[in-house]
Amino acid sequence: MPFCKNIAILEKEVELAIFPQLRLRRLRRTEALRQMVRETDLSVKDFIYPLFVIHGEGIRQEIGSMPGNFHISVNLLPREAEEVAGLGIPAIILFGLPETKDALGSGAYAPDGIIQNAVRVIKKAMPELVVITDVCLCEYTSHGHCGVVEGGYIDNDKTLELLARTALSHAEAGADMVAPSDMMDGRVREIRETLDRNGFQDISIISYAAKYASSFYGPFREAAECAPQFGDRRSYQMDPPNVREALREVEQDIAEGADIVMVKPALAYLDVIRQIRDEFNYPLAAYNVSGEFAMVKAAAQRGWLDEKAVALEILTAIKRAGADMVITYYAKEAARWLSQD
Ligand code: PBG
């Protein structure tokens, strides 16, 4: 009977490894033993720290919904960059709050726009710090959408050129990597072609490939002043229940020339991270977004959670799911915690 054969196999395994001979607790007995068999390694080298750049001078103002994160004016960026690099964090990602907004988001691709100025200042002060720029229009458009609005709809193809211009202006300012976060179809190809045509073959693209229409972006939208003034982002960002579609988004972005792909948010989408890691041999980033950060902060401030333990557990979980790098508002704090251990 085939059934017996199965039992025979099972018995052999049983003989080798089952309680009381086997005790999985043996390797958990001391910290040294636990370290030896630890499968996931969380390091400061995995972190990318987001910075919010604001116009004005001498400003370093804490963001209400994101304690420990600041709106920083361009002239104070060298100090911040030094601190970040000093902690061993290899990269930052920049978001800008322009002085004025318009329908076409012209501040996003102005040669002397807020991000372009920020990149120049940081690269001069701290050339070895990897500078990534978020490429999107929503912080720069009066309507708060990530693209060109035509009759109440976000026009995909008309947006592409503006995104490519934005990415090019960031590269010209000295950015190491551009990160399109708009979710328009075809933007990676448009950006890659534009960068290559202008001599920026070596500037890489980290694409927000699977970016969901998530409610976890709330605190960020307040911080970056980029909430849509009408409707929502569901006609371009992904529908949260979908994962097969995420694989297609990643496939497309890789085909178009993305060097690194990203899943966003991270904590509520660990299954998406895992599936992408299993399907593709590309570097994978995950964005532990503002709402995911704010939840932990708020609970910690009330004494309901052990902040350090929970934050490190979340970051470890994101890596265990398969991410190679994590964009996190906890980067500086976690860097300090990891160096204490
Ligand atoms: C811009 C952008 C957003 C975030 C990163 N880039 C907001 C959005 O898409 O509405 C969110 C980041 C966060 O919540 O931490 N498109």
Side-chain angles (χ1 to χ4, degrees), residues 9-248:
I9 292 166
L10 195 66
E11 270 172 0
K12 191 167 173 235
E13 283 174 15
V14 162
E15 209 183 298
L16 285 174
I18 197 168
F19 178 84
Q21 288 83 6
L22 176 83
R23 287 177 184 270
L24 287 163
R25 286 183 56 186
R26 273 180 208 128
L27 294 174
R28 295 182 201 141
R29 203 165 44 82
T30 68
E31 178 55 20
L33 289 169
R34 289 191 292 274
Q35 267 182 26
M36 285 175 73
V37 296
R38 194 158 287 154
E39 298 173 32
T40 305
D41 196 23
L42 184 67
S43 151
V44 64
K45 297 292 169 216
D46 305 325
F47 300 151
I48 300 170
Y49 186 56
L51 287 180
F52 295 90
V53 190
I54 197 162
H55 52 86
E57 266 219 23
I59 300 170
R60 190 169 190 276
Q61 195 172 26
E62 193 163 38
I63 299 166
S65 54
M66 297 165 70
N69 289 267
F70 298 82
H71 283 132
I72 303 172
S73 58
V74 171
N75 70 314
L76 294 187
L77 285 173
R79 210 170 72 187
E80 186 72 19
E82 254 167 60
E83 189 191 345
V84 171
L87 286 165
I89 299 166
I92 54 170
I93 180 163
L94 297 177
F95 298 95
L97 288 85
E99 203 160 6
T100 57
K101 302 179 188 239
D102 58 38
L104 293 179
S106 60
Y109 39 91
D112 62 345
I114 186 119
I115 289 297
Q116 293 77 2
N117 288 341
V119 171
R120 277 188 289 265
V121 163
I122 294 170
K123 281 316 276 189
K124 193 166 167 219
M126 210 25 79
E128 67 277 16
L129 184 66
V130 175
V131 174
I132 307 170
T133 55
D134 186 81
V135 174
C136 197
L137 300 182
C138 63
E139 291 124 75
Y140 305 88
T141 51
S142 39
H143 44 71
H145 276 290
C146 305
V148 176
V149 177
E150 288 264 333
Y153 192 70
I154 317 316
D155 189 297
N156 191 87
D157 298 12
K158 287 192 177 127
T159 304
L160 297 181
E161 197 227 318
L162 302 185
L163 292 168
R165 269 168 74 176
T166 304
L168 177 59
S169 71
H170 294 173
E172 282 168 346
D176 297 290
M177 217 182 262
V178 293
S181 71
D182 52 282
M183 287 302 278
M184 299 300 128
D185 285 319
R187 91 275 210 211
V188 173
R189 188 177 82 170
E190 188 85 13
I191 290 171
R192 185 70 272 159
E193 281 177 6
T194 302
L195 291 177
D196 289 355
R197 220 178 321 131
N198 288 277
F200 293 104
Q201 293 88 345
D202 290 335
I203 301 304
S204 36
I205 299 177
I206 171 169
S207 80
Y208 290 72
K211 176 174 176 178
Y212 287 87
S214 169
S215 298
F216 284 102
Y217 306 153
F220 174 96
R221 288 186 188 166
E222 199 186 311
E225 294 172 2
C226 71
Q229 299 303 301
F230 68 89
D232 52 48
R233 301 208 203 289
R234 283 184 287 186
S235 78
Y236 43 105
Q237 297 180 348
M238 278 186 60
D239 200 18
N242 294 358
V243 64
R244 293 193 300 265
E245 188 187 346
L247 300 177
R248 297 182 67 199

